[in-house]
Amino acid sequence: MTERSSSGEAVTDPKLSVTGLEKTFDGITAVDGVSFDVQAGEMTGLIGPNGAGKSTTFNCITNLIEPDAGSVVFDGQDVTGLPTHRVARTGLVRTFQIARELREMTVLENMMVSSKEQTESAIHAVTPGLRENVRTEEEAILEQAWETLEFFDIEHVAHEYAGTLSGGQRKLLELARALMADPDMLLLDEPFAGVNPTLEERLLDRLHALTDQGYTFLIVEHDIDLIMNNCVRVLVMHQGQLLAEGAPETVRDDERVIDAYLGGEAAQ
């Protein structure tokens, strides 16, 4: 939905709108009234010191952890409290810092079971017409899986068991599997943690290419420079609250951010 501001400029509704999000564990407030928007087709970074509440915020957005208060609206739909699989069905998909691949299945099988279009059931197996539909569906999913693996340059390990992959390959598989769910927006939890500089550049190239294709990203990451150099907007959390937000250059110069997180390095 597009509206007009008082100056007549077009104002587009955000892709993701988080309002007043709260979560407390045993009397300790992990997320304290957090509100922010993420615009469609942009790469937004979420940073903050350890314990700032970043991962809990991610978990509340996707309802991996049910929030105590607040709302999450995605693409105009209130998804607050929906089961995680239903949130994913709306097009809001997340990855995890520690890859959760199906270790005893091949890379290609991991990709295919992650597809949003996978509908096969027992009734399909015994009904001729439905069986043909499943065959056509599987062919389309297989083609999509191969294309996605090629996009991430890991098609050469397609028939290897996922549990045998290196840490970097697992990171690539995690993101590739997320794309098989046909998302409109991806929440990436430390996608660059533990990867070497070469793989980091490869991942960044892929993320920018996907952004150019219209995907939206919200990325939790500890590498401040990486976020500042690649995201158009940066959100900073501290002690469960949103401390600052804005363009990278604005956030980098914010005294509150410097004191809370960036330290003297930001001022140099």
Side-chain angles (χ1 to χ4, degrees):
M1 178 179 176
T2 302
E3 300 178 347
R4 295 282 167 180
S5 67
S6 57
S7 63
E9 296 180 347
V11 179
T12 305
D13 287 343
K15 191 72 171 177
L16 175 70
S17 185
V18 176
T19 305
L21 208 62
E22 297 181 7
K23 185 62 186 180
T24 300
F25 299 101
D26 297 325
I28 298 175
T29 302
V31 180
D32 188 6
V34 168
S35 300
F36 62 82
D37 294 336
V38 176
Q39 298 300 321
E42 291 186 353
M43 194 181 298
T44 299
L46 176 58
I47 63 174
N50 289 331
K54 305 182 299 298
S55 292
T56 303
T57 298
F58 254 38
N59 290 336
C60 287
I61 290 172
T62 55
N63 205 43
L64 196 64
I65 297 174
E66 186 174 359
D68 297 327
S71 66
V72 178
V73 175
F74 175 68
D75 242 356
Q77 178 181 350
D78 189 343
V79 298
T80 315
L82 286 182
T84 302
H85 70 278
R86 288 187 57 193
V87 174
R89 284 279 175 178
T90 68
L92 180 59
V93 176
R94 68 162 298 169
T95 65
F96 294 86
Q97 179 182 354
I98 300 175
R100 299 189 174 189
E101 74 279 358
L102 301 171
R103 298 178 60 83
E104 296 184 3
M105 297 178 69
T106 68
V107 168
L108 189 59
E109 288 168 342
N110 266 264
M111 294 290 289
M112 294 187 70
V113 299
S114 301
S115 173
K116 185 178 182 179
E117 305 305 322
Q118 186 69 262
T119 59
E120 185 175 358
S121 64
I123 189 67
H124 290 83
V126 297
T127 306
L130 294 180
R131 213 164 43 230
E132 183 60 33
N133 289 341
V134 168
R135 188 176 298 110
T136 302
E137 173 189 282
E138 285 187 346
E139 289 173 356
I141 293 172
L142 183 60
E143 181 179 359
Q144 181 190 6
W146 276 111
E147 289 176 353
T148 306
L149 289 174
E150 289 171 3
F151 181 76
F152 287 101
D153 294 331
I154 53 172
E155 72 278 8
H156 60 286
V157 297
H159 297 297
E160 295 183 19
Y161 287 107
T164 67
L165 300 183
S166 68
Q169 289 170 333
R170 287 200 296 271
K171 289 280 187 178
L172 292 169
L173 176 58
E174 178 88 350
L175 191 50
R177 288 175 62 202
L179 287 182
M180 289 295 292
D182 192 25
D184 291 319
M185 179 173 177
L186 282 160
L187 279 64
L188 307 183
D189 192 354
E190 299 195 30
F192 306 100
V195 303
N196 62 54
T198 301
L199 178 56
E200 181 178 289
E201 285 300 318
R202 205 158 118 211
L203 274 170
L204 283 169
D205 286 344
R206 299 304 183 271
L207 293 185
H208 283 295
L210 291 168
T211 304
D212 291 340
Q213 293 174 29
Y215 287 90
T216 305
F217 291 95
L218 177 61
I219 306 173
V220 163
E221 180 57 46
H222 281 296
D223 188 331
I224 301 166
D225 288 335
L226 186 150
I227 290 296
M228 294 294 181
N229 293 333
N230 291 279
C231 294
V232 296
R233 283 186 73 246
V234 179
L235 310 169
V236 184
M237 288 189 67
H238 181 57
Q239 296 181 348
Q241 298 181 330
L242 188 67
L243 182 66
E245 61 180 312
E249 58 272 17
T250 301
V251 170
R252 188 185 290 276
D253 294 335
D254 191 308
E255 291 294 336
R256 297 169 302 167
V257 176
I258 294 171
D259 290 341
Y261 186 35
L262 300 182
E265 295 180 2
Q268 294 176 3

